[in-house]
Amino acid sequence: MNISYNWLKELIDIDLSPEKTAKALTRVGLAVEGIHSHKDDLVLDIDLTSNRPDCLSHLGVARELGVITDADLTADRLRRRDNTEGVSTDTVPYPITLAVEVVQIEAPNLCHRFTTRIIKGVKIGPSPQWLVDRLEALGERSINNVADITNYVMLELGQPMHAFDFDKLAENRIVVRTAKSGETVKTLDEVDRKLDETMLAICDANKPVAVAGIMGGFDSSITESTSNVLLEVAFFERENIRSTSRKLNLATEASYRFERGVDIENLARASNRATELIIELAGGEAGDLIDIYPTRTHRPVVNSESIAASVKRLTGLDVTKDGCIRTLNALGISSNDSGDEFTAPSWRHDIAIEEDLVEEITRHAGYENITTDLPPAYGAGEYQPTEQRKRLLRQALADQGFDEALSYSFIDTGHDGSVETVESLVDSELEEPLITLNDSVIEGAVRMRPTLIPGLLAAVRHNLNHQRRDIKLFELGKVFSAKGKGEMPNELELFAAILSGGQLNEGRAMPARELDFYDAKGAVESVLESVGAPDAIFEAAAIRHLRNGQAASVIVDGKKVGSLGRLNEEISGHYKFKQPVYVAEIDLQAVLAAASAQAAYAALPKFPSIVRDVSFTVNRDVSYGSIEKAALAATVPFLISVDFVDIYESKGLDENTRSLTVRFAYRSEKRTLTEADIENGHVELLERIASSTGANLRN
């Protein structure tokens, strides 16, 4: 933001040199990055933060200087002209008959206030040299006297405005509405802009004549033949201006200010200021101000029981209550008689909580006066409740040779319509819709990820393209899904792992072993064990992004928390993977919320175990897990464990049948068991398994 030093001196009585002025402004947060000269003026280049749109004008900067120097703001000394006859105001409620004759607001939710004034009999011509010089000093080019005045007042008061050729408006009317699909407008830069239904447009009776808050239209612009001017000064919804500017890839001085917020109570003043300059420099006679203000805004009120104590607590600065109130009042933040309630001015959109008041006081008390002593923090250095368990998780996987990956939270939609859509990588139907961004940090990546898998697949492809085929990666991160309109999105923390290629055991003279499903299962088991989760159950399942027969659901504490398995052929083919890829994804939030498994300690057994291996013939759809479940449910005396031993398939068995060998172990803590002790229970156990699973003893 360029600020003229000479112009500032017209608005405030200061005797600071330009260099001292720059230092004073920088000290309170308005960083002056440089000073350059233009003819007989000096220009300050100020780097403003996005929360200070009130300083996007000479009046705003002068207001800050007034607080710094305790000087009187002489804004009422704005250049006054003698020829102000006809400059009057007529503020009207909404809706009203008079306003509708000229202006119709069809989108009051996007246009909160709209003022117009018709100035007849103007003479368009070049601007006087003083106006040309002032605009050029600030980087603006001169166009004509009326257009230059609108830019001048914007730089002076911070309020964008636009002048239309009144006679070029169909039916001499202005309609403020959202554009219709397919409507276009040729803007002042002579580019045809295609509008959509989300964009606010200023129209005449037939068509758009300007993109609201961004740029006027070429067909209704001021030219040498213009004699009647309609001056528009309005307040538009910030989010809509920002969205429209991004969609049209059109940023202007006006949109820059509207996006950050202008002073809604400054419109009539800005219109009057521009009107008096137009009358002086272009002649003409001004009509009444039509001011359509549907719903008056309420300035935020901030409560503070003890503002001085809050300043001390948050910054360590000792500022008296009177000093705090004096600074806030000078900035336009009014207070009640007891000094515990403060009302923000209309030009400050960033004052909402007590900490904002403290920041304002601290700026002017001096950041350099804050000491380096840290306030007492009794919780300092502590981990978040789940952070220690996550550290154990990371260590457990690092011990197995995994590397941690970090991928973007945005999803590229370039593959939509192919086998590898975002939805296809989620192991169940999405309960909530995906979040699509209107503007993306990365070109093409406009969706928030609902799963961690796309980022890991991209990492695998990158590694394979660089001739690294042995890959073991994991990631912890947030995923997102949308709620209703205007609601905050859902956030969920997941864990995901991906494996591919081979593994060479260190110190062993043997070829590399290909990674398989059980490596992925082992990784998940080690993760669950490291965070103290209860024992997991793995059940065969049909999961759409995984290969049938090599996919399983992960169940913890009776609830499905994730899945693991081999990536299916369609998605593997899309990524051009020529080797198996195994993926696992776990709802880490649910796992960490589950009751931690208690560590059990017992003395070493004093007596030997009796072990019996039993081979069953079962249908191919019967899993070992179902046999184990049936065995443990039988409550057979002395049974201490059930373990998988082997699986056998051959031509001697039916094609739908296979053999499973299971080991049962029996032991007593008091004595050595005999075969007779376990015989009856063992027979009962086999009968229970047979009735539950259909398994038969193999001969």
Side-chain angles (χ1 to χ4, degrees):
M1 175 66 187
N2 288 329
I3 295 292
S4 162
Y5 176 72
N6 289 344
W7 202 342
L8 281 179
K9 295 192 69 173
E10 292 179 7
L11 301 178
I12 187 168
D13 290 320
I14 57 171
D15 56 5
L16 296 177
S17 67
E19 291 75 16
K20 289 184 177 180
T21 300
K23 288 181 180 180
L25 291 172
T26 300
R27 179 176 173 271
V28 297
L30 307 183
V32 178
E33 296 192 330
I35 304 175
H36 65 270
S37 61
H38 180 83
K39 295 187 177 180
D40 62 345
D41 197 1
L42 289 169
V43 178
L44 309 179
D45 181 7
I46 302 179
D47 182 20
L48 289 175
T49 54
S50 60
N51 67 320
R52 295 304 306 273
D54 59 298
C55 289
L56 289 171
S57 67
H58 285 73
L59 177 61
V61 175
R63 186 185 294 118
E64 285 285 331
L65 275 177
V67 182
I68 296 168
T69 62
D70 200 25
D72 293 331
L73 187 67
T74 56
D76 290 337
R77 269 188 357 201
L78 294 173
R79 301 175 66 95
R80 291 293 176 185
R81 308 300 180 204
D82 295 329
N83 186 15
T84 57
E85 184 179 353
V87 179
S88 60
T89 63
D90 181 19
T91 303
V92 294
Y94 174 82
I96 49 94
T97 304
L98 173 63
V100 171
E101 292 177 359
V102 178
V103 182
Q104 182 178 349
I105 309 295
E106 294 184 357
N109 60 317
L110 300 179
C111 177
H112 301 308
R113 187 178 185 185
F114 194 91
T115 73
T116 57
R117 175 182 272 122
I118 300 169
I119 308 169
K120 295 186 176 181
V122 300
K123 184 176 181 181
I124 306 301
S127 296
Q129 193 59 45
W130 69 265
L131 179 53
V132 174
D133 289 344
R134 185 150 283 183
L135 292 177
E136 288 181 349
L138 301 176
E140 298 288 335
R141 67 182 181 89
S142 176
I143 301 171
N144 58 55
N145 48 8
V146 172
D148 289 355
I149 288 167
T150 61
N151 287 331
Y152 179 88
V153 176
M154 177 183 70
L155 296 170
E156 185 176 62
L157 301 181
Q159 173 62 50
M161 58 185 64
H162 186 67
F164 296 90
D165 187 323
F166 183 63
D167 297 322
K168 293 179 181 178
L169 300 175
E171 299 181 13
N172 294 137
R173 288 177 55 205
I174 284 289
V175 180
V176 183
R177 60 172 172 82
T178 54
K180 299 173 183 176
S181 179
E183 279 189 318
T184 61
V185 59
K186 179 185 287 188
T187 47
L188 288 172
D189 55 1
E190 299 189 50
V191 175
D192 290 321
R193 310 279 179 180
K194 186 176 181 180
L195 309 179
D196 64 36
E197 298 93 332
T198 67
M199 299 177 182
L200 187 66
I202 298 176
C203 310
D204 60 15
N206 300 327
K207 63 185 184 305
V209 293
V211 183
I214 300 177
M215 186 176 284
F218 180 80
D219 295 335
S220 60
S221 61
I222 302 297
T223 63
E224 292 181 356
S225 62
T226 299
S227 61
N228 298 318
V229 170
L230 184 144
L231 181 65
E232 164 258 311
V233 187
F235 183 97
F236 302 112
E237 179 67 31
R238 286 187 286 176
E239 287 76 10
N240 184 263
I241 300 298
R242 183 180 297 112
S243 171
T244 302
S245 176
R246 300 300 185 274
K247 288 180 179 179
L248 295 179
N249 194 24
L250 180 61
T252 63
E253 289 288 340
S255 68
Y256 187 81
R257 286 165 172 79
F258 277 123
E259 286 179 18
R260 287 154 180 79
V262 299
D263 182 1
I264 196 169
E265 300 298 339
N266 195 36
L267 271 60
R269 180 187 194 182
S271 181
N272 289 343
R273 175 71 172 133
T275 300
E276 65 182 6
L277 288 173
I278 290 173
I279 291 173
E280 177 188 354
L281 302 182
E285 181 180 350
D288 291 342
L289 178 72
I290 298 174
D291 186 355
I292 302 177
Y293 201 169
T295 304
R296 290 193 176 271
T297 58
H298 298 285
R299 293 185 288 169
V301 175
V302 181
N303 294 311
S304 176
E305 292 184 3
S306 177
I307 186 62
S310 296
V311 171
K312 176 67 175 177
R313 173 174 55 86
L314 294 171
T315 69
L317 294 176
D318 287 309
V319 184
T320 65
K321 180 178 181 180
D322 288 342
C324 292
I325 293 174
R326 185 166 54 252
T327 298
L328 294 175
N329 290 169
L331 288 167
I333 303 171
S334 58
S335 58
N336 62 356
D337 293 339
S338 57
D340 58 5
E341 188 176 279
F342 301 87
T343 304
S346 58
W347 59 83
R348 291 298 297 270
H349 303 280
D350 59 330
I351 306 296
I353 58 177
E354 185 182 41
E355 286 77 2
D356 296 329
L357 302 178
V358 172
E359 181 181 6
E360 295 303 299
I361 295 165
T362 306
R363 284 195 306 116
H364 287 277
Y367 290 122
E368 69 276 9
N369 295 321
I370 298 176
T371 64
T372 57
D373 296 335
L374 291 174
Y378 302 105
E382 294 181 358
Y383 287 119
Q384 293 296 319
T386 61
E387 186 58 34
Q388 185 63 36
R389 296 164 76 186
K390 292 178 189 175
R391 290 168 65 89
L392 293 172
L393 182 159
R394 289 183 169 96
Q395 186 61 53
L397 289 173
D399 291 344
Q400 296 183 41
F402 279 82
D403 293 307
E404 184 169 5
L406 288 174
S407 55
Y408 290 112
S409 298
F410 311 107
I411 298 293
D412 189 341
T413 59
H415 302 302
D416 281 6
S418 71
V419 297
E420 191 268 315
T421 59
V422 176
E423 293 90 340
S424 71
L425 296 174
V426 182
D427 68 4
S428 61
E429 296 295 332
L430 288 171
E431 297 180 0
E432 304 289 350
L434 295 171
I435 300 173
T436 301
L437 305 175
N438 291 329
D439 189 21
S440 61
V441 177
I442 306 168
E443 185 176 358
V446 295
R447 284 184 176 172
M448 300 298 289
R449 64 184 181 189
T451 169
L452 300 177
I453 294 176
L456 291 176
L457 290 176
V460 169
R461 177 166 58 186
H462 180 80
N463 278 274
L464 291 174
N465 288 342
H466 287 76
Q467 312 305 314
R468 182 178 179 183
R469 68 175 300 273
D470 301 332
I471 303 162
K472 296 173 77 173
L473 300 172
F474 75 94
E475 181 172 8
L476 278 67
K478 294 286 185 69
V479 298
F480 309 87
S481 61
K483 282 188 174 181
K485 185 176 181 181
E487 296 185 51
M488 293 295 290
N490 288 317
E491 289 188 24
L492 195 64
E493 188 169 22
L494 302 186
F495 157 81
I498 195 160
L499 309 84
S500 186
Q503 177 170 296
L504 183 63
N505 293 324
E506 187 176 355
R508 296 191 180 185
M510 58 188 295
R513 177 182 64 81
E514 289 295 313
L515 297 171
D516 58 22
F517 172 88
Y518 296 102
D519 290 291
K521 178 173 178 284
V524 171
E525 287 175 324
S526 66
V527 164
L528 297 176
E529 182 180 355
S530 68
V531 299
D535 290 340
I537 297 174
F538 298 86
E539 291 186 350
I543 298 171
R544 53 186 172 184
H545 66 283
L546 301 178
R547 188 178 186 183
N548 287 335
Q550 295 191 49
S553 293
V554 184
I555 298 171
V556 173
D557 209 16
K559 177 184 177 183
K560 179 183 174 182
V561 297
S563 63
L564 69 114
R566 179 174 171 177
L567 201 65
N568 66 33
E569 287 81 356
E570 286 183 313
I571 298 176
S572 293
H574 173 80
Y575 278 93
K576 300 181 181 179
F577 294 153
K578 296 181 180 179
Q579 59 190 52
V581 175
Y582 299 89
V583 296
E585 190 167 50
I586 302 295
D587 182 348
L588 187 60
Q589 218 162 282
V591 169
L592 294 177
S596 298
Q598 297 297 316
Y601 298 92
L604 292 173
K606 296 180 180 180
F607 302 99
S609 302
I610 295 178
V611 175
R612 288 194 174 180
D613 289 353
V614 179
S615 293
F616 299 95
T617 55
V618 296
N619 288 334
R620 297 183 67 86
D621 60 353
V622 175
S623 66
Y624 160 74
S626 62
I627 293 177
E628 180 186 44
K629 183 177 180 181
L632 295 176
T635 62
V636 174
F638 306 121
L639 181 68
I640 60 170
S641 65
V642 181
D643 295 299
F644 173 79
V645 176
D646 194 12
I647 187 169
Y648 175 74
E649 299 174 350
S650 75
K651 295 181 180 179
L653 297 173
D654 184 88
E655 63 178 8
N656 293 322
T657 304
R658 60 184 175 181
S659 173
L660 292 177
T661 301
V662 182
R663 178 167 294 161
F664 303 97
Y666 300 88
R667 187 177 64 238
S668 170
E669 301 299 328
K670 297 180 180 179
R671 60 186 175 86
T672 300
L673 296 176
T674 65
E675 291 291 333
D677 290 328
I678 67 169
E679 186 61 34
N680 291 335
H682 187 65
V683 171
E684 180 185 342
L685 176 67
L686 299 182
E687 290 175 351
R688 175 67 66 90
I689 292 172
S691 63
S692 298
T693 66
N696 297 311
L697 290 178
R698 184 182 172 199
N699 297 325

